[in-house]
Amino acid sequence: MRIAATFGCAAAVLLAVTFAMNHIGAGITKKTAISENSMFTNSGMTDNAQDAETIKTECMVMAQTGNISDYDDVYAELKTYRDRYRSSQPTYGLWDWLFGGVKSSDSAMDGAIKEDVEMEYVFDEAGAVDTVASSGNTEVLEGSYSKTNVQTVGIDEADIIKTDGKYIYYASTDFHTISVYQVNQGESKKVSDIYVEGVGSLEEIYVDGDMLLCEGTSYRDGRYNVALAKYDISDRKNPKFVSLYTQEGDSVETRKVGNVVYIVTTVFSDVERMKKDKPETYIPRICDDLIIPENIYIPEETQDTTYTVISSVDVTDMHTVDSVAVLGFNGTFYMGTENMYLYRDSWETADRMTDIRKIDYISDGNIGAVSEAKVPGVIKDTFAINEYNGYLRMMTTSYAASNNGESTNNVFVLDASLKVVGSIEGLAQGERIYSARYMGDTAYFVTYRETDPLFSVDLSNPENPRIMGALKIPGFSEYLHPFGTGKLLGIGMDSGDGSGWGQYVKLSMFDTSDPYNVTEEDKTMLYDANYTEALYDYKAVMIDAEKNLFGFVTEDYEARSENYRYQYRVFTYTDNGFKEIITVRLPDANFRTTRAVYIGDYVYIVNDNGVAAYELRGVR
């Protein structure tokens, strides 16, 4: 076992740090643990902190074609909606009727450093980490490093951890700080801490060369804003603040394509307090400027008084390339390589439907037209929707009144105009989709009730999709990930006794080399794991099929222990099945914020308490 660790602390909080590692055997040699109990002093922090009110926001807005001529059109639409519900709800204002009168707290978004926090790790040298047997698969190549687990190849996503192969950047949302660690062959050294100003509640980051982008949510002048702070990190020991970009609303998602970051927010309009002659009371802002009328789109069917605002930001100089605000529609965001989509549940008579808004974009940040569609059923998550070769493919679960509300499942293919050109409907009655994955012309999805059917779908002819096979096994897979040629990894839950009830975390490797005859090649039950964030947050999974590695945190709350038990676990897949190569005990306080990256022949496990490194020698 080979270990290197670096630790730091913030605001007079001394972090006595410990890792207890479960022993796995030979092949990982141990290094000396390096403890660095330093406070955030002038030497540990950069000196570029600025008050949020004084940081300048920079925007240059270019025109985007919407479908209104001036703000009066927006006011009229909001007034119609307000008056309709004001008459039907005479004892409440519309805001209270829609949102239950929930009041926001300014202090909740302050992002201040927490004090009086005690977190402890224990280095258990006697027990600790077993190693792995040789797997016979792809060797972990020196010089390579992991990327954020994203949904669409080529489109980057923000996360709390990033690496460029030489440094690890970790965003501590509790301490509002980005820690920068220099790493080399298992050694790690903290070179700087950046206390991020202007973003309110720090959430996630991007790193691109010598540029660090810090994303967060702030509350200022009675409005929530998503903020993007840019830092120059060409000198990692002394990062410099460059500029701040803000967009009104609650964060939905961000995406990065080349030098352009797309920011998606939801803005709730308080129509009870809006005034026609004051557009600032009902029009969203980007960088403190109102969105111009030409950039606002009102759908044919306005469903509520919210906006979805999308802007594209050229982060080389932090200016707005383009923007669009869609009134009366907020939903889940998915971004393909040619278009962006928003979708949400709705009701048509007694049937549940999915409403879709398609928004064109091109790689330089220009945003095009908005179009609309509706399909039966509801989407489980963004892995059930996919753009490919000009078509939009969707998997939904229907609860039709005509079927007494019993669930069935569907596959739809839509063309560029969002017209359904092919479909399969009525699959797996009484079950619902739990996970989905598209792999070129083939799609896979899992439904669940008592058994776990894995369906394979041929989408090579968009107008004639067809089921190729359905493998039924106990339990269910909540997350699917391609794992090399002819392999599909499933992470889910199972009872382990054939009943199918999800009590323990289960790993499945499916052989998809013949989509007409998919088999479960291997499975492993983790009987000391009752839950993992990997089921619901794909970015919590470190995974690289080419390097034959994946890892995530598990949680054990069985009666055998009075306390919850958390571990970070790294696996490889061998000719003999799954092999657990690293197991690290985590303190309760850090299990949700512990992430890992690999660089060369080492895995680095990181959280608020520091870095621990593990050599992957012998993993093949």
Side-chain angles (χ1 to χ4, degrees):
M1 182 176 65
R2 187 179 182 89
I3 310 170
T6 304
F7 304 99
C9 20
V13 180
L14 182 62
L15 303 180
V17 185
T18 65
F19 275 98
M21 309 158 201
N22 297 335
H23 188 45
I24 308 179
I28 301 181
T29 59
K30 182 175 178 185
K31 263 194 176 179
T32 305
I34 305 172
S35 181
E36 183 181 287
N37 294 323
S38 59
M39 303 297 180
F40 274 176
T41 61
N42 288 336
S43 61
M45 284 188 62
T46 57
D47 58 1
N48 52 29
Q50 302 183 41
D51 185 88
E53 296 295 330
T54 66
I55 294 176
K56 180 182 178 182
T57 60
E58 300 179 7
C59 290
M60 294 182 289
V61 180
M62 300 177 65
Q64 146 71 33
T65 302
N67 66 345
I68 68 168
S69 58
D70 56 41
Y71 292 138
D72 288 348
D73 294 338
V74 179
Y75 179 84
E77 185 75 17
L78 290 172
K79 183 178 182 298
T80 299
Y81 200 91
R82 179 193 68 187
D83 294 347
R84 183 190 314 156
Y85 286 97
R86 181 181 282 173
S87 62
S88 64
Q89 301 290 327
T91 60
Y92 299 94
L94 178 58
W95 182 265
D96 294 327
W97 186 86
L98 285 174
F99 306 109
V102 176
K103 306 298 182 184
S104 60
S105 170
D106 294 11
S107 62
M109 307 303 295
D110 284 346
I113 291 181
K114 292 185 177 181
E115 297 191 9
D116 301 325
V117 178
E118 291 186 10
M119 289 174 284
E120 204 170 77
Y121 284 178
V122 180
F123 275 89
D124 183 355
E125 300 184 7
V129 182
D130 265 314
T131 173
V132 233
S134 175
S135 70
N137 279 327
T138 308
E139 183 179 5
V140 179
L141 301 177
E142 185 166 342
S144 60
Y145 57 89
S146 56
K147 306 291 194 302
T148 300
N149 186 19
V150 300
Q151 183 172 1
T152 304
V153 175
I155 299 178
D156 196 10
E157 300 184 28
D159 198 7
I160 63 172
I161 189 169
K162 295 283 185 176
T163 183
D164 55 16
K166 296 180 180 179
Y167 296 88
I168 295 172
Y169 311 84
Y170 177 78
S172 171
T173 56
D174 283 343
F175 296 123
H176 208 70
T177 301
I178 311 298
S179 296
V180 182
Y181 298 93
Q182 186 176 25
V183 294
N184 182 34
Q185 295 295 307
E187 300 284 359
S188 62
K189 176 184 178 182
K190 183 184 285 188
V191 296
S192 62
D193 284 306
I194 309 167
Y195 184 78
V196 182
E197 295 288 344
V199 301
S201 174
L202 176 64
E203 293 169 4
E204 294 180 312
I205 60 175
Y206 291 98
V207 173
D208 187 350
D210 291 333
M211 176 178 60
L212 169 69
L213 299 171
C214 307
E215 173 194 330
T217 303
S218 63
Y219 187 77
R220 183 165 59 93
D221 298 332
R223 296 171 181 263
Y224 285 99
N225 293 274
V226 169
L228 197 65
K230 177 180 176 179
Y231 284 82
D232 177 354
I233 55 172
S234 54
D235 180 357
R236 265 59 174 184
K237 295 181 179 180
N238 187 31
K240 298 294 185 182
F241 172 81
V242 177
S243 61
L244 182 73
Y245 184 97
T246 62
Q247 177 171 312
E248 184 178 351
D250 294 317
S251 178
V252 176
E253 290 285 355
T254 67
R255 294 289 189 270
K256 184 174 181 293
V257 183
N259 291 325
V260 177
V261 170
Y262 295 84
I263 301 175
V264 186
T265 60
T266 296
V267 179
F268 297 94
S269 303
D270 187 354
V271 293
E272 292 289 356
R273 298 177 177 87
M274 68 178 184
K275 297 180 180 180
K276 184 177 181 180
D277 60 345
K278 293 185 176 181
E280 64 270 19
T281 63
Y282 59 91
I283 300 295
R285 307 180 189 202
I286 295 177
C287 295
D288 297 325
D289 295 323
L290 299 181
I291 296 177
I292 60 177
E294 291 81 3
N295 288 24
I296 300 174
Y297 178 84
I298 300 178
E300 293 181 7
E301 180 183 341
T302 302
Q303 298 176 342
D304 54 39
T305 63
T306 63
Y307 295 88
T308 294
V309 180
I310 304 174
S311 70
S312 52
V313 186
D314 187 331
V315 294
T316 57
D317 56 6
M318 298 294 279
H319 79 267
T320 304
V321 178
D322 213 341
S323 63
V324 63
V326 182
L327 177 63
F329 191 90
N330 67 311
T332 304
F333 179 78
Y334 162 73
M335 188 169 184
T337 56
E338 298 177 0
N339 301 280
M340 297 176 279
Y341 300 87
L342 296 162
Y343 63 88
R344 62 180 283 180
D345 295 357
S346 68
W347 290 89
E348 186 172 287
T349 62
D351 294 339
R352 293 179 69 181
M353 308 287 287
T354 294
D355 294 338
I356 312 154
R357 300 290 185 269
K358 173 185 174 182
I359 303 165
D360 302 337
Y361 81 94
I362 52 180
S363 59
D364 61 4
N366 288 304
I367 301 173
V370 179
S371 51
E372 310 171 38
K374 187 187 298 278
V375 297
V378 296
I379 294 177
K380 166 66 166 60
D381 58 32
T382 52
F383 284 99
I385 182 171
N386 174 263
E387 183 182 68
Y388 184 73
N389 286 345
Y391 291 92
L392 180 67
R393 294 96 65 89
M394 303 172 63
M395 303 178 191
T396 69
T397 298
S398 292
Y399 302 89
S402 58
N403 196 37
N404 296 320
E406 189 168 20
S407 61
T408 57
N409 302 279
N410 319 295
V411 179
F412 296 104
V413 182
L414 290 70
D415 64 13
S417 62
L418 293 188
K419 176 185 176 183
V420 175
V421 295
S423 65
I424 308 172
E425 301 185 57
L427 296 168
Q429 184 167 330
E431 302 185 0
R432 61 189 177 96
I433 293 174
Y434 259 64
S435 57
R437 199 78 192 209
Y438 294 87
M439 298 165 62
D441 286 327
T442 305
Y444 298 90
F445 68 95
V446 171
T447 62
Y448 176 70
R449 190 174 188 177
E450 293 180 354
T451 56
D452 176 14
L454 172 65
F455 289 89
S456 51
V457 187
D458 181 2
L459 296 170
S460 58
N461 181 354
E463 297 182 1
N464 186 31
R466 50 199 182 92
I467 297 295
M468 291 186 284
L471 169 68
K472 290 194 174 186
I473 52 178
F476 59 90
S477 292
E478 190 82 35
Y479 176 68
L480 298 173
H481 193 103
F483 205 75
T485 304
K487 297 286 190 294
L488 181 66
L489 171 67
I491 303 174
M493 301 291 290
D494 194 6
S495 64
D497 60 8
S499 65
W501 182 61
Q503 184 178 1
Y504 305 108
V505 174
K506 173 189 177 183
L507 304 179
S508 294
M509 188 63 75
F510 299 103
D511 182 349
T512 60
S513 55
D514 180 1
Y516 289 90
N517 184 32
V518 176
T519 60
E520 187 179 37
E521 185 175 275
D522 188 66
K523 68 176 181 179
T524 293
M525 299 294 303
L526 304 181
Y527 289 107
D528 57 352
N530 306 107
Y531 176 77
T532 173
E533 287 287 302
L535 300 175
Y536 306 106
D537 181 2
Y538 58 91
K539 287 189 285 189
V541 183
M542 177 196 70
I543 187 164
D544 191 323
E546 291 185 2
K547 306 301 182 287
N548 190 28
L549 285 175
F550 66 97
F552 50 85
V553 174
T554 63
E555 175 181 346
D556 177 16
Y557 51 83
E558 291 257 285
R560 72 171 73 96
S561 172
E562 293 182 3
N563 300 315
Y564 283 48
R565 181 184 178 193
Y566 307 103
Q567 299 177 96
Y568 196 96
R569 314 167 85 135
V570 180
F571 299 86
T572 186
Y573 190 68
T574 78
D575 294 336
N576 297 318
F578 292 101
K579 297 293 182 182
E580 187 165 354
I581 62 176
I582 298 172
T583 307
V584 180
R585 181 77 176 270
L586 303 172
D588 292 1
N590 293 105
F591 82 99
R592 291 190 185 279
T593 57
T594 298
R595 294 293 180 86
V597 296
Y598 77 79
I599 301 174
D601 288 324
Y602 294 85
V603 168
Y604 299 85
I605 299 176
V606 190
N607 57 34
D608 285 335
N609 287 335
V611 179
Y614 302 86
E615 188 174 9
L616 295 168
R617 184 175 56 191
V619 177
R620 295 182 180 276

